[in-house]
Amino acid sequence: SQQGEEDPQALSIQEGENATMNCSYKTSINNLQWYRQNSGRGLVHLILIRSNEREKHSGRLRVTLDTSKKSSSLLITASRAADTASYFCATDLKGAQKLVFGQGTRLTINP
Amino acid sequence: SAVISQKPSRDICQRGTSLTIQCQVDSQVTMMFWYRQQPGQSLTLIATANQGSEATYESGFVIDKFPISRPNLTFSTLTVSNMSPEDSSIYLCSVDSVGGGNTQYFGPGTRLTVL
């Protein structure tokens, strides 16, 4: 079964607003990653946060991790039309050399 | 980062036939992964392919249906055998990054439609 549950499943906001997506998982992880997928194409790695980290920034992206709640959030600030895509969290499970992907959030930025 | 190409980018096939998807990487990598993404869904790992050994399949996926080859450190193929409309999906290959942490680089995907 999928490790990650994401919410919301879909999010539509105006350009310039902030977008927040959430991810929950079930078992112990080495790290949690976020990926972006544009219109059914390949995924692009955005950011990785390790299990001993609580917050990480990369440009307009901010990721938080709460291992006690087994949850993470991705914040995109000052959204742009080009941010329109599906966003997936992926967990790197302890003891397993593979990623398990969440269900994804489809983000639409309206001009 | 690794640059990954896949062939074909898309195909429309008849049920009962087979399709082989190629994945080429511009550098040598240890682990290659094959995923399936059904319409509107997330990615599901099919198998992990290591050079010189048999692929490791995830629960629900079998070698007879999805045979995989990994002849060298830059190339792999996935065959979708005896296709049915339920196999219509995007098939993606990915590779591990050198930097570790199991960050993966993805190919552009192969969009398969089975009639």
Side-chain angles (χ1 to χ4, degrees):
Chain A
S1 63
Q2 291 290 344
Q3 161 82 326
E5 299 290 333
E6 293 187 54
D7 76 88
Q9 291 186 355
L11 178 62
S12 181
I13 61 174
Q14 294 300 121
E15 195 167 19
E17 294 180 341
N18 296 340
T20 299
M21 289 159 270
N22 302 295
C23 169
S24 62
Y25 57 93
K26 297 176 183 176
T27 60
S28 296
I29 61 172
N30 293 316
N31 62 65
L32 186 144
Q33 304 173 34
W34 287 89
Y35 289 80
R36 183 185 71 221
Q37 184 179 38
N38 288 89
S39 189
R41 298 186 59 80
L43 276 70
V44 174
H45 179 259
L46 295 176
I47 195 166
L48 177 153
I49 186 166
R50 302 189 190 285
S51 61
N52 60 355
E53 297 177 311
R54 293 297 167 258
E55 185 172 316
K56 201 162 185 179
H57 297 254
S58 177
R60 293 184 296 113
L61 305 180
R62 172 178 170 256
V63 171
T64 62
L65 179 64
D66 186 335
T67 52
S68 66
K69 295 181 179 178
K70 292 186 169 56
S71 67
S72 173
S73 68
L74 171 67
L75 168 67
I76 302 174
T77 60
S79 63
R80 306 167 181 169
D83 295 329
T84 294
S86 293
Y87 292 81
F88 295 91
C89 67
T91 47
D92 179 19
L93 305 181
K94 284 190 175 180
Q97 286 185 299
K98 62 181 182 180
L99 294 178
V100 179
F101 285 81
Q103 294 302 311
T105 294
R106 184 172 182 83
L107 176 64
T108 301
I109 308 299
N110 302 304
Chain B
S1 64
V3 177
I4 304 164
S5 60
Q6 284 186 234
K7 290 181 181 179
S9 59
R10 60 176 61 222
D11 208 343
I12 301 173
C13 301
Q14 298 296 321
R15 70 168 66 213
T17 62
S18 298
L19 176 72
T20 295
I21 302 167
Q22 299 179 8
C23 180
Q24 179 77 53
V25 190
D26 69 342
S27 58
Q28 294 185 341
V29 294
T30 303
M31 300 178 73
M32 297 180 77
F33 305 88
W34 286 99
Y35 291 87
R36 181 178 73 184
Q37 186 177 27
Q38 294 176 304
Q41 302 297 312
S42 184
L43 281 71
T44 300
L45 182 64
I46 297 171
T48 302
N50 293 328
Q51 193 265 337
S53 63
E54 293 287 328
T56 302
Y57 288 83
E58 297 298 305
S59 176
F61 297 96
V62 296
I63 188 171
D64 290 347
K65 175 67 176 177
F66 297 101
I68 288 171
S69 78
R70 181 79 199 272
N72 57 52
L73 291 174
T74 63
F75 187 78
S76 178
T77 66
L78 169 76
T79 299
V80 186
S81 303
N82 188 23
M83 289 183 286
S84 66
E86 292 71 36
D87 294 319
S88 297
S89 296
I90 298 172
Y91 292 85
L92 297 134
C93 71
S94 72
V95 303
D96 249 359
S97 72
V98 175
N102 206 8
T103 298
Q104 294 183 15
Y105 298 111
F106 282 81
T110 296
R111 185 181 294 269
L112 171 63
T113 302
V114 184
L115 303 178

